[in-house]
Amino acid sequence: LAPVPEAEIAELSPDPFVNQLAAFARSIRAGTEPANNVAENFNTMACVQAIHESLTTGKPVAVATS
């Protein structure tokens, strides 16, 4: 990934969700893949789900893979 230009850093919101939406909109306008893509989010959610299940059951849980 390329470094974020200084002008964009100055425009960052304190709300990370707003920043994600702005980055997504920029990628659509530029015709590029967003830095926060579906495969990355799938893996994150699979980890969160496995952690939740492990905490609920008290047992180790395998993390799903895409």
Side-chain angles (χ1 to χ4, degrees):
L1 293 174
V4 177
E6 290 292 325
E8 288 184 30
I9 292 173
E11 296 175 2
L12 287 176
S13 167
D15 183 340
F17 184 68
V18 170
N19 295 326
Q20 285 292 328
L21 288 175
F24 183 68
R26 280 193 304 275
S27 70
I28 290 172
R29 287 196 285 286
T32 59
E33 184 175 336
N36 191 356
N37 60 39
V38 171
E40 182 179 317
N41 285 321
F42 175 84
N43 292 333
T44 300
M45 292 309 300
C47 287
V48 169
Q49 183 177 6
I51 290 167
H52 181 267
E53 185 177 340
S54 180
L55 288 170
T56 301
T57 64
K59 298 178 181 177
V61 175
V63 176
T65 58
S66 54

